[in-house]
Amino acid sequence: EAAVTQSPRNKVAVTGGKVTLSCNQTNNHNNMYWYRQDTGHGLRLIHYSYGAGSTEKGDIPDGYKASRPSQENFSLILELATPSQTSVYFCASGVTGGDYEQYFGPGTRLTVL
Amino acid sequence: GEQVEQRPPHLSVREGDSAVITCTYTDPNSYYFFWYKQEPGASLQLLMKVFSSTEINEGQGFTVLLNKKDKRLSLNLTAAHPGDSAAYFCAVPLSGGSNAKLTFGKGTKLSVKS
């Protein structure tokens, strides 16, 4: 069965530290997405990718970088973590064209102290 | 205004009652719509996928109504049970194109009391 996995599932970081969140998908989908979920805001798109080597800015990219080294892997990088980046982060994958359905990973809970 | 507006943010009903969650969207060219369910502490799972040519869709105890004229999508639950307690999100692909992004509503937290 197709799957999206994320690591770590929980992370505590210090302000100013570097954090890398990883996502792996076995769906063979071209598109991958990073969202954050906060109470009262729903899901907000941070970065996305159309394929290996591509990254695009989403709606709230400030303070985040992304890397797509392969079809399967998509990373979200916080170079200088801040407490405002405390959130739950979801990765998703989806096909190019088609019906735009996205398949979500289990989420990573990040706390920045 | 918001491109996808979802109401209400919170909904509390008794077991056996009906519940309605509504989303309005701005892009008249949207032709796929999604409802996702998120149980506490879990990820988002697809609940229903709706294609614009069909105004009524049923599945998993829910009915989705699509009013293209008013750009309104509703998720209707006719007889709620405690297992339906969760957050529900509508999602609409905006901007068109083969790589359109999904824009999510802010969610509705449904609580079903027995």
Side-chain angles (χ1 to χ4, degrees), chain A residues 31 33 35 37 40-43 45 48 50 57 59 90 95-107, chain B residues 31-32 34 36 38 41-46 49 87 89 93 96-107:
Chain A
N31 298 346
Y33 310 83
Y35 296 89
Q37 184 178 35
H41 289 281
L43 272 77
L45 181 65
Y48 60 103
Y50 294 138
K57 293 181 179 179
D59 299 322
F90 287 98
V95 299
T96 299
D99 62 10
Y100 313 111
E101 181 178 350
Q102 293 182 15
Y103 300 80
F104 285 83
Chain B
Y31 56 90
Y32 272 109
F34 302 90
Y36 283 87
Q38 184 181 32
S43 186
L44 282 79
Q45 299 291 329
L46 182 68
K49 179 167 58 179
F89 296 89
S98 63
N99 286 312
K101 300 170 288 181
L102 287 180
T103 297
F104 286 80
K106 292 186 176 179

Side-chain angles (χ1 to χ4, degrees), chain B:
Chain B
E2 296 174 11
Q3 293 180 303
V4 178
E5 188 168 340
Q6 184 172 343
R7 292 282 186 268
H10 300 278
L11 185 57
S12 182
V13 300
R14 292 194 176 278
E15 186 173 6
D17 285 353
S18 62
V20 180
I21 302 170
T22 301
C23 282
T24 55
Y25 57 94
T26 57
D27 187 350
N29 297 315
S30 298
Y31 56 90
Y32 272 109
F33 306 88
F34 302 90
W35 285 100
Y36 283 87
K37 177 181 180 180
Q38 184 181 32
E39 297 184 352
S43 186
L44 282 79
Q45 299 291 329
L46 182 68
L47 181 66
M48 291 188 71
K49 179 167 58 179
V50 178
F51 185 52
S52 65
S53 66
T54 305
E55 294 184 339
I56 301 174
N57 291 263
E58 296 178 331
Q60 302 186 54
F62 291 84
T63 300
V64 173
L65 302 179
L66 175 62
N67 183 323
K68 288 180 282 186
K69 174 177 176 291
D70 294 339
K71 296 193 287 293
R72 185 171 62 243
L73 182 70
S74 66
L75 180 69
N76 298 264
L77 179 54
T78 55
H81 60 84
D84 295 322
S85 294
Y88 293 84
F89 296 89
C90 64
V92 182
L94 301 177
S95 312
S98 63
N99 286 312
K101 300 170 288 181
L102 287 180
T103 297
F104 286 80
K106 292 186 176 179
T108 296
K109 188 173 181 181
L110 174 65
S111 176
V112 182
K113 301 185 191 309
S114 57

Side-chain angles (χ1 to χ4, degrees), chain A residues 4-57:
Chain A
V4 180
T5 56
Q6 295 181 228
S7 63
R9 296 293 312 279
N10 291 282
K11 172 75 178 178
V12 178
V14 296
T15 297
K18 181 177 181 178
V19 177
T20 300
L21 307 183
S22 299
C23 178
N24 177 276
Q25 56 108 353
T26 58
N27 299 326
N28 198 31
H29 288 160
N30 287 337
N31 298 346
M32 296 186 75
Y33 310 83
W34 276 107
Y35 296 89
R36 62 179 285 177
Q37 184 178 35
D38 304 284
T39 302
H41 289 281
L43 272 77
R44 293 182 289 175
L45 181 65
I46 306 170
H47 284 288
Y48 60 103
S49 168
Y50 294 138
S54 105
T55 60
E56 306 288 337
K57 293 181 179 179

